[in-house]
């Protein structure tokens, strides 16, 4: 039986952007930062996948933030160390079918009661969705993120 790493490598290769002229064995996603401070326990308990061409699990996010308001798209881009475009979505735009209620509720309970969504673009077909809120007391942005392949 193949290992999880081998299967993951197979999926990465199968989901590569086909618009490029030469094939590469590495994924084109740039790494982004998701954790630099303690993660609320509730976020570790979420066991849900973001449904896309790759069906990736949601992972905890906890980033130092001293602001009282949610960062702007540019501030969030800097916070996660992403060099490309970051856009924001409403919770309704992110979850029009109501399939991520557990994710949204966990983020709301871990933060200030409001969940916001940022989309970090990784080329034409790849993205990361950050569902986050502010924990003013802990001076951090907390939430969950998932990778997506959207063809």
């Amino acid at each position: 039986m193949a290992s999880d790493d081998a299967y993951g490598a197979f999926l990465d290769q199968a989901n590569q952007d086909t618009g490029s002229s030469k094939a590469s064995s590495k994924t084109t996603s740039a790494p982004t930062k998701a954790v630099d401070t303690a993660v609320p326990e509730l976020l570790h308990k979420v066991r849900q996948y973001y449904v896309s061409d790759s069906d990736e699990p949601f992972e905890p996010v906890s980033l130092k933030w001293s602001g009282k308001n949610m960062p702007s798209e540019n501030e969030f881009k800097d916070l996660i160390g992403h060099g490309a475009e970051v856009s924001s979505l409403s919770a309704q735009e992110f979850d029009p079918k109501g399939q991520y209620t557990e994710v949204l509720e966990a983020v709301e309970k871990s933060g200030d009661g409001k969940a916001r969504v940022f989309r970090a673009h990784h080329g034409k077909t790849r993205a990361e969705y950050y569902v986050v809120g502010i924990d003013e007391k802990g001076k951090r942005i907390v939430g969950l993120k998932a990778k997506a392949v959207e063809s």
Side-chain angles (χ1 to χ4, degrees), residues 34-54:
V35 176
D36 67 5
T37 187
V39 175
E41 190 61 36
L42 178 60
L43 298 176
H44 284 293
K45 295 178 181 178
V46 175
R47 301 278 183 248
Q48 191 166 3
Y49 285 75
Y50 183 79
V51 179
S52 73
D53 292 347
S54 63

Side-chain angles (χ1 to χ4, degrees), residues 120-131:
H121 304 261
H122 295 282
K124 293 179 182 175
T125 61
R126 294 177 185 268
E128 284 180 295
Y129 288 95
Y130 285 79
V131 182

Side-chain angles (χ1 to χ4, degrees), residues 69-149:
N69 297 316
M70 184 58 61
S72 68
E73 292 169 356
N74 283 332
E75 289 171 325
F76 193 78
K77 178 171 84 169
D78 292 342
L79 190 64
I80 63 172
H82 186 54
E85 182 183 353
V86 170
S87 57
S88 58
L89 305 161
S90 70
Q92 179 62 34
E93 290 170 316
F94 170 71
D95 188 19
K97 296 178 184 176
Q99 63 195 53
Y100 303 112
T101 305
E102 179 186 1
V103 169
L104 292 165
E105 287 177 355
V107 171
E108 289 167 356
K109 289 177 184 174
S110 298
D112 61 356
K114 298 176 190 169
R116 289 89 162 181
V117 182
F118 289 95
R119 183 180 191 268
H121 304 261
H122 295 282
K124 293 179 182 175
T125 61
R126 294 177 185 268
E128 284 180 295
Y129 288 95
Y130 285 79
V131 182
V132 295
I134 296 176
D135 174 9
E136 280 187 56
K137 189 174 167 184
K139 296 188 177 190
R140 60 191 175 172
I141 299 284
V142 295
L144 297 159
K145 75 168 189 163
K147 296 177 184 174
V149 175

